[in-house]
Amino acid sequence: MSVTPPAAERVRVSAEPDWYESAGISLGIRVGNLVFTSGQAPIDAQGATVGAGDFEAQARQALANLSTVLTNAGSSLADVVKATVFVTDIARQDIFAKLRAEHFPNEPHLAESFVEVSSLADPEWMIEIEAIGLVR
């Protein structure tokens, strides 16, 4: 006889204001002790692009948004186990490496994919970051 465990409940993660609600997607989904974030863009709480033309400013805003989503799910940047970073210019990797060291200093280091794409949802965006974090 086999026993099928009950499916874990999916809980929507949001913020106030929820900058992705109008797009019909969740900022993140928590399932058990994991949180899966949508790609966090360089936008402010009203959805306006921050740091047009400034990769570091955009990356800092995307990381701040990621931190907010994780915190609202009961997690944090320190609890991220996997991140995927989408950029429109792979040459910016050195700038992001500096920011990664600031925002993810714990060991073991997180698993990360750093991917160049031809464009993101808004042509002004230079970066978008999604992550999987632990909820403690």
Side-chain angles (χ1 to χ4, degrees), residues 66-103:
L66 181 62
S67 179
T68 296
V69 174
L70 291 165
T71 298
N72 289 355
S75 187
S76 70
L77 290 176
D79 296 312
V80 169
V81 295
K82 170 70 169 99
T84 305
V85 182
F86 302 97
V87 296
T88 57
D89 183 357
I90 201 80
R92 310 291 183 163
Q93 191 167 10
D94 59 334
I95 297 169
F96 192 77
K98 178 183 81 165
L99 297 175
R100 181 190 319 106
E102 287 176 25
H103 290 83

Side-chain angles (χ1 to χ4, degrees), residues 7-114:
E9 182 181 2
R10 294 169 19 138
V11 178
R12 183 175 184 276
V13 180
S14 63
E16 187 57 44
D18 188 327
W19 51 91
Y20 282 178
E21 177 64 29
S22 64
I25 60 175
S26 297
L27 290 171
I29 297 288
R30 180 175 165 175
V31 180
N33 71 335
L34 294 175
V35 60
F36 301 84
T37 73
S38 290
Q40 296 304 305
I43 57 176
D44 63 21
Q46 288 70 46
T49 299
V50 171
D54 182 341
F55 180 82
E56 185 169 343
Q58 288 198 5
R60 287 187 183 283
Q61 182 65 46
L63 286 162
N65 291 347
L66 181 62
S67 179
T68 296
V69 174
L70 291 165
T71 298
N72 289 355
S75 187
S76 70
L77 290 176
D79 296 312
V80 169
V81 295
K82 170 70 169 99
T84 305
V85 182
F86 302 97
V87 296
T88 57
D89 183 357
I90 201 80
R92 310 291 183 163
Q93 191 167 10
D94 59 334
I95 297 169
F96 192 77
K98 178 183 81 165
L99 297 175
R100 181 190 319 106
E102 287 176 25
H103 290 83
F104 303 101
N106 298 340
E107 291 194 17
H109 298 299
L110 61 93
E112 178 187 282
S113 298
F114 195 84

